[in-house]
Amino acid sequence: MFAKAFRVKSNTVIKGSDRRKLKADISATFPSLSAEDLNELIPNKVELNIVKIYTHKGDAVILYVLHKKPIFFQLEKRLFPTVYTLWQYPAMLPAFVTWPPVMQKLAGGADLMLPGVVVPPDGLPEVDKGDCCAVTLVMNRAPVAVGTAAVSCAEMRNSGMKGKGVNILHTYMDQLWAFGDKSCPPVMPVTNTSAQMEGEMDEEECDKEECEDEPVKEGEDTNEEEDSRSPQEQMDELLLQCFLHALKTKVKKSQLPLLTGTFLANHMMSCCPKGKYLDIKKSSYKKLSKFLHCMQKEHSLIQVKELCKGVDSIVEVDWRNPELLSFSIPEDFEPEKKPEEESGASEVQYQPPEITPLYGVSARLEPLFQDAQKKKGTPLKASEVRNIITEYVKKNDLVHEINKNYVNINPTLCDCLLEKSEYHEVEMMKWDELFSRTLIKMQACHEILFPGQPPVVKKGQMEPIDITVASRGSNKKVTIIKNLESFGLDPAMIADTLQHQVQASCVLQECPGAKNRVLVQVQGNQVQQISKLLLDQYKIPRKYVLGLDKAPKAGKKK
């Protein structure tokens, strides 16, 4: 459900009554939680947000977010815990056990098939069709997926463990997980490891049921000779091997900039040899950002930049690096064929941000928003401002008695909205003027939302991409593009693309008066080609691109 980016509709702080209702619903749905557990999950004096989203398939889902981590999601009036919550309370749901290689398929949107389930000696968990359940991995009780049972446990046994077992809704490494702090599953050793490892997966059945990865069974040694290195050193080497493998075979220049989380999930993971599993927490780096920083500073293989707040992307790869050139793909590696990755349609993974104009409560208007508990600086949408003002007018009986199109001006409205010269002249005002005056006197700000990332609120209006045409020397023109970074676009990548498309010189220059910003300069008047690139290929809304009228007129030379 969350394998692809979702769209945030609204993000509001939960009310006291809704908080109590949520706690009661959780208690009724998950009776194994004690009163102490509930108070820890839903604390009374900590801000809890309700985030309404639409998935890529159009499903309406409600997220409950605490400390910037989604803890529950509600689908069709039914509550489900996220992996973040299950890592705190692993016994909250009945759990099915599977092998680590299967996890990659679950994260890609596949359901859990019964041939991939490891059956412990004490049998399968008792579930009925539709019951909420979790999925864990052999050797670790930390859940990595949440879903509903496709059939009852009795039907699973009667089928000979064939067919679908769990309809997966949410997994570790999906976009809902990415909406949180992106932490990794904790290590929770299984109390009876040998019992867990007694289960065997039928490889032929797995092939039929879309579980193509062969598991490592107990007793098998994946190394031909003993490895004297520590587990941490082995994981460091596996990380480097998958990193180089992914750069050499998976990443194309046209895919840059590439989100670091996407690089790990879609490229590095798929380069992991059979029988092994990447776990950055078990390496000396502990975090993906630290590992990539090492690849940049010490190995000089890549460049990583924060193209927008909190979002790191790989923006450049040194394809001629000796270490990368000398890397050989392991002979025993069997690549997975994914037609959707081979088609050119997926080469450009960029998705434009969703930009929403917001209005911040100013000091002068704070009394007007006091009843709605909106303090100075609180960002609001225009519709929210309209609702708050309407509620204020009705609560204070300010609608004109005869003409309902007018609102009587009370002292608060007078102080907030009127100029001094109007204090003794304006006694009432039309609704539309009331709303427009309120918005004008609020602080301009905006929310920018990149797919799969938490929304970021910034002051001021969204600065558009600016295209200008300037003269250089005798009748020579150049086209200049500014402010690509705000939209998550790498100027170097845009310059390289344009250079190939228009067969003209492209250079990068520092942007005067702006730190960490560069502008792209292209030889000739290339506005028309730049327009096609930004509007058609990258889907940037036209209103956020200035200078499109500078394109050369038909019949004139560039």
CSV table of all heavy atoms in Angstrom, one decimal, residues 83 86-88 90 136-144 172 183-191 193 231-232 235 277-283 286:
chain,number,residue,atom,x,y,z
A,83,VAL,N,5.4,-0.3,12.0
A,83,VAL,CA,6.6,-1.0,12.5
A,83,VAL,C,7.2,-0.3,13.6
A,83,VAL,O,7.8,-1.0,14.5
A,83,VAL,CB,7.6,-1.3,11.3
A,83,VAL,CG1,7.0,-2.3,10.3
A,83,VAL,CG2,8.0,0.0,10.6
A,86,LEU,N,5.4,-1.5,16.6
A,86,LEU,CA,5.6,-2.9,16.9
A,86,LEU,C,7.0,-3.2,17.4
A,86,LEU,O,7.3,-4.2,18.1
A,86,LEU,CB,5.4,-3.7,15.6
A,86,LEU,CG,3.9,-3.8,15.1
A,86,LEU,CD1,3.8,-4.5,13.8
A,86,LEU,CD2,3.1,-4.5,16.2
A,87,TRP,N,8.0,-2.3,17.1
A,87,TRP,CA,9.3,-2.5,17.6
A,87,TRP,C,9.3,-2.2,19.2
A,87,TRP,O,10.2,-2.7,19.9
A,87,TRP,CB,10.3,-1.5,16.9
A,87,TRP,CG,10.5,-1.9,15.5
A,87,TRP,CD1,10.2,-3.1,14.9
A,87,TRP,CD2,11.1,-1.1,14.5
A,87,TRP,NE1,10.6,-3.1,13.6
A,87,TRP,CE2,11.1,-1.9,13.3
A,87,TRP,CE3,11.5,0.2,14.4
A,87,TRP,CZ2,11.5,-1.4,12.0
A,87,TRP,CZ3,12.0,0.7,13.2
A,87,TRP,CH2,12.0,-0.1,12.0
A,88,GLN,N,8.4,-1.4,19.6
A,88,GLN,CA,8.2,-1.2,21.1
A,88,GLN,C,7.4,-2.3,21.7
A,88,GLN,O,7.7,-2.7,22.9
A,88,GLN,CB,7.5,0.1,21.3
A,88,GLN,CG,8.3,1.4,21.1
A,88,GLN,CD,7.5,2.6,21.4
A,88,GLN,OE1,6.7,3.1,20.6
A,88,GLN,NE2,7.6,3.1,22.6
A,90,PRO,N,6.5,-5.9,20.4
A,90,PRO,CA,6.6,-6.9,19.4
A,90,PRO,C,5.5,-8.0,19.6
A,90,PRO,O,5.2,-8.7,18.6
A,90,PRO,CB,8.0,-7.5,19.5
A,90,PRO,CG,8.4,-7.1,20.9
A,90,PRO,CD,7.8,-5.8,21.2
A,136,THR,N,7.8,-11.3,10.9
A,136,THR,CA,9.2,-11.1,11.4
A,136,THR,C,10.1,-12.0,10.6
A,136,THR,O,9.7,-12.8,9.8
A,136,THR,CB,9.2,-11.6,12.9
A,136,THR,OG1,9.0,-13.0,13.0
A,136,THR,CG2,8.2,-10.8,13.8
A,137,LEU,N,11.4,-11.8,10.9
A,137,LEU,CA,12.4,-12.5,10.2
A,137,LEU,C,13.1,-13.6,11.1
A,137,LEU,O,13.1,-13.4,12.3
A,137,LEU,CB,13.5,-11.6,9.6
A,137,LEU,CG,13.1,-10.5,8.7
A,137,LEU,CD1,14.3,-9.7,8.3
A,137,LEU,CD2,12.4,-11.1,7.4
A,138,VAL,N,13.6,-14.7,10.5
A,138,VAL,CA,14.3,-15.7,11.3
A,138,VAL,C,15.4,-15.0,12.0
A,138,VAL,O,16.1,-14.1,11.5
A,138,VAL,CB,14.8,-16.8,10.3
A,138,VAL,CG1,15.8,-17.7,11.0
A,138,VAL,CG2,13.7,-17.6,9.7
A,139,MET,N,15.6,-15.3,13.3
A,139,MET,CA,16.7,-14.8,14.1
A,139,MET,C,16.4,-13.5,14.7
A,139,MET,O,17.2,-13.0,15.5
A,139,MET,CB,18.0,-14.7,13.4
A,139,MET,CG,18.5,-16.0,12.7
A,139,MET,SD,18.8,-17.4,13.9
A,139,MET,CE,20.3,-16.8,14.6
A,140,ASN,N,15.3,-12.8,14.4
A,140,ASN,CA,15.0,-11.5,15.0
A,140,ASN,C,13.4,-11.4,15.1
A,140,ASN,O,12.7,-11.5,14.2
A,140,ASN,CB,15.5,-10.4,14.1
A,140,ASN,CG,15.5,-9.0,14.8
A,140,ASN,OD1,15.0,-8.9,15.9
A,140,ASN,ND2,16.1,-8.0,14.2
A,141,ARG,N,13.0,-11.1,16.4
A,141,ARG,CA,11.5,-11.0,16.6
A,141,ARG,C,11.0,-9.6,16.3
A,141,ARG,O,9.8,-9.4,16.3
A,141,ARG,CB,11.3,-11.2,18.1
A,141,ARG,CG,11.5,-12.6,18.6
A,141,ARG,CD,11.0,-12.8,20.0
A,141,ARG,NE,11.6,-11.9,20.9
A,141,ARG,CZ,10.9,-10.9,21.6
A,141,ARG,NH1,9.6,-10.8,21.4
A,141,ARG,NH2,11.5,-10.1,22.4
A,142,ALA,N,11.9,-8.6,15.9
A,142,ALA,CA,11.4,-7.3,15.5
A,142,ALA,C,10.6,-7.4,14.2
A,142,ALA,O,11.1,-7.7,13.2
A,142,ALA,CB,12.6,-6.4,15.3
A,143,PRO,N,9.3,-7.0,14.3
A,143,PRO,CA,8.4,-7.1,13.1
A,143,PRO,C,8.9,-6.2,12.0
A,143,PRO,O,9.4,-5.1,12.2
A,143,PRO,CB,7.0,-6.7,13.6
A,143,PRO,CG,7.1,-7.0,15.0
A,143,PRO,CD,8.5,-6.7,15.5
A,144,VAL,N,8.8,-6.7,10.7
A,144,VAL,CA,9.2,-5.9,9.6
A,144,VAL,C,8.1,-5.6,8.6
A,144,VAL,O,8.3,-4.9,7.6
A,144,VAL,CB,10.4,-6.6,8.8
A,144,VAL,CG1,11.6,-6.6,9.6
A,144,VAL,CG2,9.9,-8.0,8.4
A,172,TYR,N,8.7,-2.3,6.7
A,172,TYR,CA,10.0,-1.5,6.9
A,172,TYR,C,10.6,-1.2,5.6
A,172,TYR,O,10.5,-2.0,4.6
A,172,TYR,CB,10.9,-2.4,7.7
A,172,TYR,CG,12.4,-2.1,7.7
A,172,TYR,CD1,12.8,-0.8,8.2
A,172,TYR,CD2,13.3,-2.9,7.2
A,172,TYR,CE1,14.2,-0.5,8.1
A,172,TYR,CE2,14.7,-2.6,7.2
A,172,TYR,CZ,15.1,-1.4,7.6
A,172,TYR,OH,16.4,-1.0,7.6
A,183,SER,N,14.5,4.9,11.2
A,183,SER,CA,15.4,4.0,12.0
A,183,SER,C,15.3,2.6,11.6
A,183,SER,O,14.3,2.2,10.9
A,183,SER,CB,15.0,4.2,13.5
A,183,SER,OG,13.6,3.9,13.7
A,184,CYS,N,16.2,1.8,11.9
A,184,CYS,CA,16.3,0.4,11.5
A,184,CYS,C,15.7,-0.5,12.6
A,184,CYS,O,15.6,-0.1,13.8
A,184,CYS,CB,17.7,-0.1,11.3
A,184,CYS,SG,18.5,0.8,9.9
A,185,PRO,N,15.2,-1.7,12.3
A,185,PRO,CA,14.6,-2.6,13.3
A,185,PRO,C,15.6,-2.9,14.4
A,185,PRO,O,16.8,-3.1,14.1
A,185,PRO,CB,14.3,-3.9,12.5
A,185,PRO,CG,14.2,-3.4,11.1
A,185,PRO,CD,15.2,-2.3,11.0
A,186,PRO,N,15.2,-2.9,15.7
A,186,PRO,CA,16.1,-3.3,16.7
A,186,PRO,C,16.4,-4.8,16.7
A,186,PRO,O,15.7,-5.6,16.0
A,186,PRO,CB,15.4,-3.0,18.0
A,186,PRO,CG,13.9,-3.1,17.6
A,186,PRO,CD,13.9,-2.6,16.2
A,187,VAL,N,17.5,-5.2,17.3
A,187,VAL,CA,17.8,-6.7,17.3
A,187,VAL,C,17.1,-7.3,18.5
A,187,VAL,O,17.4,-6.9,19.6
A,187,VAL,CB,19.3,-6.9,17.4
A,187,VAL,CG1,19.7,-8.4,17.5
A,187,VAL,CG2,20.0,-6.3,16.2
A,188,MET,N,16.2,-8.2,18.2
A,188,MET,CA,15.4,-8.9,19.3
A,188,MET,C,15.6,-10.4,19.1
A,188,MET,O,14.9,-11.0,18.3
A,188,MET,CB,13.9,-8.5,19.2
A,188,MET,CG,13.6,-7.1,19.4
A,188,MET,SD,11.8,-6.8,19.3
A,188,MET,CE,11.8,-5.0,19.4
A,189,PRO,N,16.6,-10.9,19.8
A,189,PRO,CA,16.9,-12.4,19.5
A,189,PRO,C,15.7,-13.3,19.8
A,189,PRO,O,15.0,-13.0,20.8
A,189,PRO,CB,18.1,-12.6,20.5
A,189,PRO,CG,18.7,-11.3,20.8
A,189,PRO,CD,17.5,-10.3,20.7
A,190,VAL,N,15.6,-14.3,19.0
A,190,VAL,CA,14.5,-15.3,19.2
A,190,VAL,C,14.9,-16.1,20.4
A,190,VAL,O,16.0,-16.6,20.5
A,190,VAL,CB,14.3,-16.1,17.9
A,190,VAL,CG1,13.3,-17.1,18.1
A,190,VAL,CG2,14.0,-15.2,16.8
A,191,THR,N,13.9,-16.4,21.3
A,191,THR,CA,14.2,-17.2,22.5
A,191,THR,C,14.6,-18.6,22.2
A,191,THR,O,15.4,-19.2,22.9
A,191,THR,CB,12.9,-17.2,23.4
A,191,THR,OG1,11.8,-17.6,22.6
A,191,THR,CG2,12.6,-15.8,23.9
A,193,THR,N,16.1,-20.2,19.1
A,193,THR,CA,16.7,-20.0,17.8
A,193,THR,C,16.6,-21.3,17.0
A,193,THR,O,16.2,-21.3,15.8
A,193,THR,CB,18.1,-19.5,17.8
A,193,THR,OG1,18.1,-18.3,18.6
A,193,THR,CG2,18.6,-19.2,16.4
A,231,PRO,N,32.0,-10.0,12.8
A,231,PRO,CA,30.7,-9.7,12.0
A,231,PRO,C,30.6,-8.3,11.5
A,231,PRO,O,30.1,-8.1,10.4
A,231,PRO,CB,29.6,-10.1,13.1
A,231,PRO,CG,30.2,-11.0,14.0
A,231,PRO,CD,31.7,-10.6,14.1
A,232,GLN,N,31.1,-7.3,12.3
A,232,GLN,CA,31.1,-5.9,11.9
A,232,GLN,C,32.0,-5.7,10.7
A,232,GLN,O,31.5,-5.0,9.7
A,232,GLN,CB,31.5,-5.0,13.1
A,232,GLN,CG,31.3,-3.6,12.8
A,232,GLN,CD,31.7,-2.7,14.0
A,232,GLN,OE1,32.9,-2.4,14.2
A,232,GLN,NE2,30.7,-2.3,14.8
A,235,MET,N,30.2,-7.1,7.6
A,235,MET,CA,29.1,-6.3,7.2
A,235,MET,C,29.7,-5.0,6.5
A,235,MET,O,29.1,-4.6,5.5
A,235,MET,CB,28.2,-5.9,8.4
A,235,MET,CG,27.0,-5.1,8.0
A,235,MET,SD,25.9,-6.0,6.7
A,235,MET,CE,25.3,-7.3,7.8
A,277,TYR,N,22.2,-10.6,4.1
A,277,TYR,CA,21.2,-9.5,4.3
A,277,TYR,C,21.9,-8.3,4.8
A,277,TYR,O,22.7,-8.3,5.7
A,277,TYR,CB,20.1,-10.0,5.3
A,277,TYR,CG,19.0,-9.0,5.4
A,277,TYR,CD1,18.2,-8.8,4.3
A,277,TYR,CD2,18.8,-8.3,6.6
A,277,TYR,CE1,17.1,-7.9,4.4
A,277,TYR,CE2,17.8,-7.4,6.7
A,277,TYR,CZ,16.9,-7.2,5.6
A,277,TYR,OH,15.9,-6.3,5.7
A,278,LEU,N,21.7,-7.2,4.1
A,278,LEU,CA,22.3,-5.9,4.5
A,278,LEU,C,21.7,-5.4,5.7
A,278,LEU,O,20.5,-5.2,5.8
A,278,LEU,CB,22.2,-4.9,3.4
A,278,LEU,CG,23.2,-5.0,2.2
A,278,LEU,CD1,22.9,-3.9,1.2
A,278,LEU,CD2,24.6,-4.9,2.7
A,279,ASP,N,22.5,-5.0,6.7
A,279,ASP,CA,22.0,-4.4,7.9
A,279,ASP,C,23.0,-3.4,8.4
A,279,ASP,O,24.0,-3.7,9.0
A,279,ASP,CB,21.8,-5.5,9.0
A,279,ASP,CG,21.1,-4.9,10.3
A,279,ASP,OD1,21.0,-3.6,10.4
A,279,ASP,OD2,20.6,-5.6,11.1
A,280,ILE,N,22.8,-2.1,8.0
A,280,ILE,CA,23.7,-1.1,8.3
A,280,ILE,C,24.0,-0.9,9.8
A,280,ILE,O,25.1,-0.6,10.2
A,280,ILE,CB,23.2,0.3,7.7
A,280,ILE,CG1,23.2,0.2,6.2
A,280,ILE,CG2,24.1,1.4,8.2
A,280,ILE,CD1,22.7,1.4,5.5
A,281,LYS,N,23.0,-1.2,10.6
A,281,LYS,CA,23.2,-1.1,12.1
A,281,LYS,C,24.3,-2.1,12.6
A,281,LYS,O,24.9,-1.8,13.7
A,281,LYS,CB,21.9,-1.3,12.8
A,281,LYS,CG,21.0,-0.1,12.9
A,281,LYS,CD,20.2,-0.1,14.1
A,281,LYS,CE,19.7,1.3,14.5
A,281,LYS,NZ,19.1,1.4,15.8
A,282,LYS,N,24.5,-3.2,11.9
A,282,LYS,CA,25.5,-4.1,12.3
A,282,LYS,C,26.9,-3.8,11.7
A,282,LYS,O,27.8,-4.6,12.0
A,282,LYS,CB,25.1,-5.5,11.9
A,282,LYS,CG,23.9,-6.0,12.6
A,282,LYS,CD,23.5,-7.5,12.2
A,282,LYS,CE,22.2,-7.9,13.0
A,282,LYS,NZ,21.8,-9.3,12.5
A,283,SER,N,27.0,-2.7,11.0
A,283,SER,CA,28.3,-2.3,10.5
A,283,SER,C,28.9,-1.3,11.4
A,283,SER,O,28.3,-0.8,12.4
A,283,SER,CB,28.1,-1.7,9.1
A,283,SER,OG,27.4,-0.4,9.2
A,286,LYS,N,26.8,2.3,11.2
A,286,LYS,CA,25.5,2.4,11.9
A,286,LYS,C,24.4,3.2,11.2
A,286,LYS,O,23.3,2.9,11.3
A,286,LYS,CB,25.7,3.1,13.3
A,286,LYS,CG,26.8,2.5,14.2
A,286,LYS,CD,26.4,1.0,14.5
A,286,LYS,CE,27.5,0.4,15.4
A,286,LYS,NZ,27.2,-1.0,15.6
